[in-house]
Amino acid sequence: MKKLPFLTLLVLFPAFLFAGEGMWIPMLLQYNEKEMQEMGMRITADDIYSINHSSLKDAIVLFGGGCTGEIVSDQGLLLTNHHCGYGYIQRHSSVEHDYLTNGFWAMNRDEELPCPGLSVIFLREMRDVTAQVLDGIDIEMAEADRQAKVDANIKKIVAAVEKETAYKVSVKPFFLGNEYYLLLEETYTDVRLVGCPPSNIGKFGGDTDNWVWPRHTGDFSIFRVYADKDGHPADYSHDNVPYKPAKHLDISLKGADEGDFAFVFGYPARTSEYLPAVAVDQEANVIDPIVVDLRGKVLDIYNKYQEQDPKVRIQYASKHAGIGNGWKKWMGVTEGINHFHGVEKKHAFEGEFQQWVVGARNRYMYLDLLNQFKKNYKELEPYQLAYTYVAEAGLRIELVSFAGRFAKLSEVTKDTPQDDIDKSVASLKTAAESFFKDYYQPIDRDVAKMLLAEYLKAQPADFRPAFLNDIKDVDDYVDKLFDKSMFTDEAKVNALLDGFKAKDAKKLANDPAMKVYQSLIGFFRNEVHGHIAAIGSDNARLQRLYMKGQMEMQPDKRFSPDANFTLRVTYGKVEGFKPKDGMKYKHFTTLEGIMQKENPDIYDYVVEPRLKELYINKDYGRYADKDGTMHVAFTASVHTTGGNSGSPILNADGQLLGLNFDRCWEGTMSDLIYDPDICRNISVDIRYVLFIIDKFAGAGHLIDEMTIVE
Ligand code: ARG
Ligand code: GLU
């Protein structure tokens, strides 16, 4: 067989790695330093991550377990996104103090609001422990034995390090289990709400603009981290003092021009850049389109009713947001993968890989890898589809998933202690109250009719939940289900819960909505889950091997491990993009655009009167751009994903330019394949953030704490 010249590789994957691609481990950043500096960076890798002196990493936290935050003063002041602080703002809001609607600004430390349950985590140190974790592992080992050995090694390592430190110690796999890193972390649990803009600013554009450029969202909120007198983590106490970080971020008022170097420092949650073509194809062309189609139809029904009635609009706002976020994202994944010919490119690469494998005898372990992937994914597909319909069609019916909350209670017997029963009853009463507050039965009926019709059309009679086979006429079936079930009726549910005894369980179990729920879950448990788990575990083994093979095949390539909720640096340039032939997106938006979008009748586009006044008077102070306008948001070719919300985007000097909060939907395939032409992250310009704090809210005392570089 003719050996392909090395050049072919370069043609298929120019330099293999695109500037902009990759989520880098901070402790290994010295390997990227040269490229970063060539792109314009004026600081060093050591300024970003060091364990010998303070560095930017000391200012970055994992916020609330799902977002990123950064410290911007020596008094523990923290910035993150509005949508990251949302839940905490909501918990402090009431009709009298509606902070979501009106915003909130603590004018002194005493006004700052404790947020029970909120914590931030600082990474103190990272160590490569690959050799110790893989000690005694060899490639021929059975998977279970391997895992047991890895777990035992990790336990030993953690126990040893715990003796020398007060920090929390953990070990996480990187490169799909080919490398392991130890993390030393410190968790602060006294974090207080300091300020947030009204939703008309912090959520401007709402779900309509979500994932979309041009964007005008002031997506920020402000918190403060507190510590005990010695600076150590402590639970909330009035005696706690503001946390003094080893480092806080400087803030630049200069903004960024197109082409400027920029980097994001934060906690990306999950990416899968090294999947085989079959996996990407299945996700982008089989599963995602079904989810998008079903969710789109659900959203159409929501929209119809939400437009008719303002009360329903509010009731379904958060459900709409949740369903809509994934809907738009996965639409972008499919579009992007196909536009980029992602599957074909992966196939072409796999051709190269196979050539490489047969090129030497000691690569025998990779020989059948791609075939096994193909076989596994083919086998997986019907189960994956079955799971998709259970989740997106069956359980999407609110009546059915609500009934499911009572499944445990429906199984109690006379032997169950009344105490346990009372406990579940109490929590179900709360659940029922919040369910009915936001439940509008006509929507759910329409959704159920639509979804069950789709379910019947799509899934084979011999491989689907049994209840579907009893349906003759969908509309009639759904009407009867809703008429007969008690779970549509708040009074009936409460009447049953009041003084609930074991003998009442039968009434729950016999409810028709409960039976639908049990049929769905039983089918999933008995016929689907085991297969997905078994194939998934074999795929994990293949993935690890494939990753290893790719690294051996390209010894000169710098690989970045998939995101796994650990601290990463990603970098690129501030730039716009061309979403389609004939179109070019600029890299920034301005307050002008907020005025263009203004529509007092559309919830997402209401402009605050005070903001309008500042706009009319052009009262931007030192926060205006050199072009005289107020910049609101900007895009960059920096590789980000969920979890990067709230992450700082920094300039060549490591100064804060803005807060990352989203991506453009055309490039959401970057979780699978990064394409520098269309993958863009979106950040709110820090100057807009400061302008809102200072000019809009009159909370200039917060700015005084920060280090501003003019
Ligand atoms: N799309 C962004 C992220 O995944 C922001 C979501 C919150 N914003 C919204 N308008 N729903 O998750
Ligand atoms: N909005 C996302 C988040 O909440 C970040 C955007 C993305 O997925 O890139 O984490």
Side-chain angles (χ1 to χ4, degrees):
M1 205 179 297
K2 202 173 103 232
K3 245 188 129 188
L4 282 170
F6 182 56
L7 232 158
T8 329
L9 264 182
L10 294 180
V11 174
L12 290 172
F13 278 75
F16 212 87
L17 188 89
F18 312 108
E21 179 180 8
M23 301 184 157
W24 305 100
I25 299 177
M27 73 169 275
L28 300 176
L29 210 58
Q30 69 269 24
Y31 298 111
N32 300 80
E33 188 179 53
K34 187 162 164 281
E35 181 182 78
M36 293 171 89
Q37 290 174 341
E38 276 165 11
M39 289 171 73
M41 186 172 78
R42 286 184 287 266
I43 57 175
T44 64
D46 197 52
D47 294 328
I48 296 174
Y49 175 93
S50 169
I51 52 167
N52 301 316
H53 52 80
S54 67
S55 58
L56 293 177
K57 84 149 199 330
D58 300 317
I60 314 299
V61 297
L62 176 65
F63 179 90
C67 283
T68 306
E70 54 274 2
I71 306 288
V72 290
S73 89
D74 61 3
Q75 297 292 305
L77 201 65
L78 176 151
L79 290 177
T80 187
N81 287 150
H82 186 265
H83 80 261
C84 297
Y86 198 83
Y88 305 98
I89 303 167
Q90 185 171 42
R91 258 163 261 173
H92 282 296
S93 296
S94 60
V95 179
E96 301 83 59
H97 300 285
D98 189 351
Y99 301 140
L100 279 180
T101 306
N102 305 316
F104 167 76
W105 304 96
M107 286 304 170
N108 55 59
R109 301 275 157 88
D110 281 338
E111 287 178 9
E112 297 177 358
L113 300 171
C115 299
L118 174 59
S119 64
V120 299
I121 301 179
F122 289 87
L123 172 70
R124 298 307 185 194
E125 190 181 333
M126 246 184 126
R127 295 177 196 167
D128 184 352
V129 289
T130 307
Q132 293 109 289
V133 173
L134 296 183
D135 185 38
I137 304 279
D138 72 68
I139 202 147
E140 314 283 342
M141 256 172 144
E143 200 53 16
D145 297 340
R146 181 188 201 276
Q147 197 53 51
K149 181 77 186 149
V150 163
D151 291 344
N153 285 347
I154 288 179
K155 224 170 137 188
K156 231 173 27 198
I157 298 164
V158 168
V161 178
E162 271 172 346
K163 279 194 202 120
E164 53 165 272
T165 175
Y167 297 142
K168 187 182 139 252
V169 185
S170 63
V171 171
K172 278 200 174 189
F174 288 70
F175 291 113
L176 303 159
N178 285 287
E179 294 182 12
Y180 287 84
Y181 288 80
L182 179 130
L183 306 162
L184 297 178
E185 294 170 324
E186 204 168 16
T187 303
Y188 284 77
T189 50
D190 185 353
V191 183
R192 305 183 195 171
L193 177 62
V194 174
C196 65
S199 291
N200 287 341
I201 289 172
K203 213 175 160 358
F204 184 80
D207 295 313
T208 320
D209 284 6
N210 189 24
W211 297 113
V212 173
W213 187 255
R215 197 61 162 278
H216 299 88
T217 314
D219 200 344
F220 78 94
S221 56
I222 314 174
F223 291 80
R224 191 187 303 281
V225 182
Y226 280 80
D228 70 12
K229 283 188 294 303
D230 305 315
H232 297 309
D235 284 339
Y236 172 81
S237 152
H238 188 71
D239 300 332
N240 283 349
V241 295
Y243 167 71
K244 286 199 184 321
K247 179 95 184 171
H248 67 272
L249 300 182
D250 292 348
I251 297 175
S252 169
L253 290 188
K254 289 196 211 91
D257 291 324
E258 181 133 43
D260 281 358
F261 172 81
F263 68 105
V264 167
F265 204 3
Y267 279 90
R270 198 169 306 113
T271 55
S272 315
E273 309 287 340
Y274 302 101
L275 289 173
V278 273
V280 173
D281 197 16
Q282 189 171 93
E283 172 163 353
N285 295 317
V286 180
I287 304 297
D288 288 352
I290 292 171
V291 178
V292 167
D293 181 55
L294 293 173
R295 287 189 178 208
K297 289 182 168 124
V298 170
L299 291 171
D300 284 344
I301 295 172
Y302 282 15
N303 286 338
K304 188 181 102 194
Y305 286 96
Q306 283 182 291
E307 275 159 28
Q308 288 167 6
D309 183 346
K311 180 166 172 236
V312 175
R313 181 175 55 66
I314 294 168
Q315 283 182 315
Y316 277 71
S318 156
K319 295 172 197 173
H320 194 291
I323 298 172
N325 198 37
W327 169 70
K328 234 186 228 175
K329 178 180 166 177
W330 292 312
M331 205 183 321
V333 171
T334 301
E335 284 252 349
I337 290 291
N338 292 327
H339 166 97
F340 180 69
H341 306 296
V343 176
E344 293 82 343
K345 284 183 187 162
K346 289 242 173 200
H347 273 307
F349 174 73
E350 284 164 16
E352 311 269 336
F353 181 79
Q354 207 57 29
Q355 293 281 342
W356 171 81
V357 171
V358 298
R361 267 175 203 282
N362 64 354
R363 298 174 193 153
Y364 66 92
M365 64 286 232
Y366 305 121
L367 253 182
D368 199 38
L369 192 66
L370 292 166
N371 274 331
Q372 287 183 48
F373 267 131
K374 250 181 239 146
K375 187 180 135 286
N376 278 1
Y377 276 94
K378 186 151 189 253
E379 204 182 313
L380 185 65
E381 190 160 301
Y383 299 111
Q384 205 63 42
L385 284 169
Y387 165 72
T388 302
Y389 276 92
V390 167
E392 296 285 339
L395 297 175
R396 181 69 67 210
I397 302 166
E398 291 176 81
L399 171 64
V400 173
S401 51
F402 180 58
R405 313 270 299 257
F406 295 72
K408 257 182 91 181
L409 192 63
S410 78
E411 284 155 13
V412 299
T413 65
K414 58 181 183 351
D415 300 328
T416 316
Q418 187 63 35
D419 229 30
D420 292 358
I421 294 182
D422 291 346
K423 258 188 229 145
S424 352
V425 166
S427 90
L428 284 169
K429 273 189 179 164
T430 324
E433 196 188 326
S434 69
F435 173 79
F436 285 111
K437 181 174 146 285
D438 289 338
Y439 186 61
Y440 188 62
Q441 207 196 111
I443 287 193
D444 202 26
R445 262 186 209 243
D446 279 12
V447 165
K449 286 175 185 171
M450 180 278 292
L451 286 176
L452 293 184
E454 294 292 329
Y455 209 147
L456 282 166
K457 237 183 354 198
Q459 290 286 274
D462 60 350
F463 193 59
R464 64 188 187 197
F467 82 93
L468 286 168
N469 296 331
D470 301 336
I471 301 180
K472 287 182 191 72
D473 177 288
V474 175
D475 289 359
D476 183 55
Y477 175 87
V478 169
D479 282 330
K480 287 206 177 99
L481 176 69
F482 276 67
D483 291 344
K484 286 189 184 145
S485 172
M486 75 166 126
F487 292 108
T488 52
D489 188 330
E490 185 163 16
K492 275 191 200 154
V493 170
N494 282 329
L496 184 69
L497 286 176
D498 280 331
F500 189 92
K501 293 275 169 329
K503 65 174 172 39
D504 298 320
K506 231 189 269 141
K507 279 187 216 142
L508 288 174
N510 289 333
D511 188 276
M514 179 67 80
K515 288 191 168 154
V516 170
Y517 174 82
Q518 295 291 11
S519 175
L520 280 162
I521 292 300
F523 169 71
F524 177 71
R525 258 191 221 135
N526 302 329
E527 299 186 47
V528 181
H529 177 259
H531 295 275
I532 292 185
I535 302 168
S537 133
D538 194 48
N539 275 341
R541 174 185 68 84
L542 295 174
Q543 287 288 353
R544 192 178 63 234
L545 206 56
Y546 186 35
M547 183 80 242
K548 187 169 180 310
Q550 293 181 60
M551 292 170 100
E552 279 172 26
M553 173 184 169
Q554 303 156 282
D556 297 328
K557 179 185 162 179
R558 250 184 303 120
F559 282 88
S560 117
D562 277 330
N564 60 354
F565 251 130
T566 58
L567 188 59
R568 302 294 177 91
V569 172
T570 62
Y571 55 90
K573 283 185 280 188
V574 173
E575 54 180 327
F577 70 113
K578 299 189 184 111
K580 273 199 178 99
D581 183 43
M583 282 172 81
K584 165 136 179 58
Y585 283 161
K586 259 181 21 184
H587 66 283
F588 69 92
T589 58
T590 68
L591 199 44
E592 205 79 41
I594 293 184
M595 299 316 301
Q596 287 167 2
K597 281 180 179 173
E598 180 186 22
N599 186 337
D601 300 327
I602 300 181
Y603 180 74
D604 286 339
Y605 297 120
V606 177
V607 178
E608 290 286 314
R610 170 83 187 128
L611 186 60
K612 223 192 275 191
E613 190 184 309
L614 291 164
Y615 167 75
I616 290 165
N617 298 327
K618 302 280 174 284
D619 186 3
Y620 306 149
R622 57 177 175 160
Y623 309 115
D625 187 76
K626 52 186 180 300
D627 68 11
T629 67
M630 184 73 240
H631 286 209
V632 173
F634 63 97
T635 56
S637 50
V638 177
H639 196 171
T640 56
T641 189
N644 271 125
S645 276
S647 298
I649 179 161
L650 303 133
N651 68 13
D653 296 309
Q655 299 161 343
L656 190 60
L657 285 175
L659 314 184
N660 181 78
F661 69 94
D662 211 2
R663 274 174 290 168
C664 299
W665 73 274
E666 291 91 342
T668 46
M669 40 73 112
S670 65
D671 288 348
L672 300 171
I673 302 178
Y674 187 87
D675 175 3
D677 288 339
I678 57 169
C679 294
R680 293 293 175 272
N681 68 314
I682 305 177
S683 307
V684 54
D685 194 306
I686 197 64
R687 295 169 299 175
Y688 183 61
V689 171
L690 299 184
F691 161 77
I692 294 296
I693 297 173
D694 189 353
K695 295 278 181 176
F696 176 85
H701 61 286
L702 297 174
I703 312 256
D704 295 341
E705 271 186 52
M706 305 176 188
T707 308
I708 309 281
V709 184
E710 302 239 9

